[in-house]
């Protein structure tokens, strides 16, 4: 709390006029992120909805590093419940719908953290340092040296920058999820 107060240019006692403790501060920050993020409409087709959710959440993680906390404000609970309802109407069972929304969020958070982690500095064998990204790429180039059919994928520049393999992972998940949709089983409203 003193560090946050100093960054805001106020005394930490002033901060306590607005929040009771660190948890309340984190919750307020997450609520602000949720309000400032352009989320997709729950009315989109299921695949577009989950892809749009992933894109919006990735953008929020980029704009607000450190977002990967277990706090879920009420507005997000309502939004995610709307997404789940849309997935059920598209033909997924309630559990599959809930797992799908949670899986996409987990995939975004873990991939975003992993890609940011590649920028950290690690020691190299010569006593110098390099980024974790370069360390991984060099290890694949050195240890694998063409012994596997997918070596080029592990040493490719795009694998280690931006979203890395995130979009491929999401596509594989969505392709699998499509096999669980039961056509015509959508829950319909009254009327």
């Amino acid at each position: 709390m003193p560090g946050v107060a100093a960054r805001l240019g106020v005394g930490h006692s002033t901060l306590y006029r607005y929040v009771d403790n660190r948890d309340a501060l984190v919750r307020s920050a997450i609520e602000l992120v949720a309000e400032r993020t352009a989320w997709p409409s729950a009315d989109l087709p299921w695949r577009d909805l989950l892809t749009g959710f992933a894109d919006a959440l990735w953008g929020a993680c980029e704009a607000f590093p450190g977002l990967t906390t277990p706090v879920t404000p009420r507005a997000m609970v309502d939004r995610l419940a709307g997404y789940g309802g849309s997935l059920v109407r598209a033909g997924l069972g309630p559990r599959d719908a809930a797992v799908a929304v949670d899986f996409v969020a987990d995939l975004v958070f873990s991939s975003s953290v992993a890609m940011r982690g590649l920028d950290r500095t690690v020691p190299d064998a010569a006593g110098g340092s390099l980024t974790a990204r370069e360390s991984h790429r060099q290890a694949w180039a050195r240890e694998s040296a063409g012994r596997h059919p997918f070596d080029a994928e592990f040493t490719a520049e795009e694998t280690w920058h931006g979203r890395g393999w995130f979009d491929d992972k999401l596509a594989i998940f969505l392709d699998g999820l499509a096999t669980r949709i039961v056509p015509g089983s959508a829950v319909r409203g009254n009327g």
Side-chain angles (χ1 to χ4, degrees):
M1 294 293 277
V4 171
R7 193 154 183 206
L8 293 172
V10 299
H12 75 276
S13 60
T14 303
L15 197 53
Y16 283 108
R17 290 184 202 159
Y18 299 95
V19 293
D20 293 333
N21 54 38
R22 181 192 178 281
D23 291 341
L25 180 65
V26 169
R27 180 169 296 282
S28 294
I30 299 293
E31 288 171 354
L32 185 61
V33 169
E35 288 172 14
R36 291 185 177 178
T37 301
W39 301 103
S41 167
D43 296 331
L44 292 171
W46 74 269
R47 191 176 187 111
D48 295 338
L49 170 62
L50 289 174
T51 301
F53 172 52
D55 290 342
L57 195 53
W58 189 282
C61 288
E62 293 266 311
F64 305 97
L67 177 61
T68 57
T69 65
V71 176
T72 307
R74 181 73 198 168
M76 282 308 297
V77 169
D78 293 342
R79 178 173 310 286
L80 298 178
Y83 290 171
S86 181
L87 295 174
V88 168
R89 288 187 297 279
L92 284 174
R95 184 168 180 90
D96 283 350
V99 169
V101 171
D102 184 66
F103 181 88
V104 170
D106 285 348
L107 182 61
V108 169
F109 287 141
S110 63
S111 296
S112 176
V113 166
M115 293 308 289
R116 276 195 314 272
L118 293 174
D119 291 328
R120 76 183 187 289
T121 303
V122 297
D124 68 5
S129 64
L130 65 163
T131 65
R133 172 181 296 106
E134 287 306 313
S135 176
H136 289 304
R137 287 182 70 201
Q138 287 177 11
W140 268 96
R142 180 180 60 250
E143 302 300 329
S144 186
R147 291 188 307 227
H148 305 287
F150 50 77
D151 287 349
E153 299 302 325
F154 278 94
T155 57
E157 187 71 22
E158 63 272 10
T159 299
W160 302 100
H161 293 281
R163 288 165 57 140
W165 286 339
F166 173 78
D167 294 308
D168 298 301
K169 291 175 182 179
L170 181 61
I172 289 169
F173 169 71
L174 295 177
D175 289 348
L177 188 62
T179 67
R180 300 191 68 141
I181 292 178
V182 180
S185 70
V187 176
R188 309 248 185 249
N190 298 332

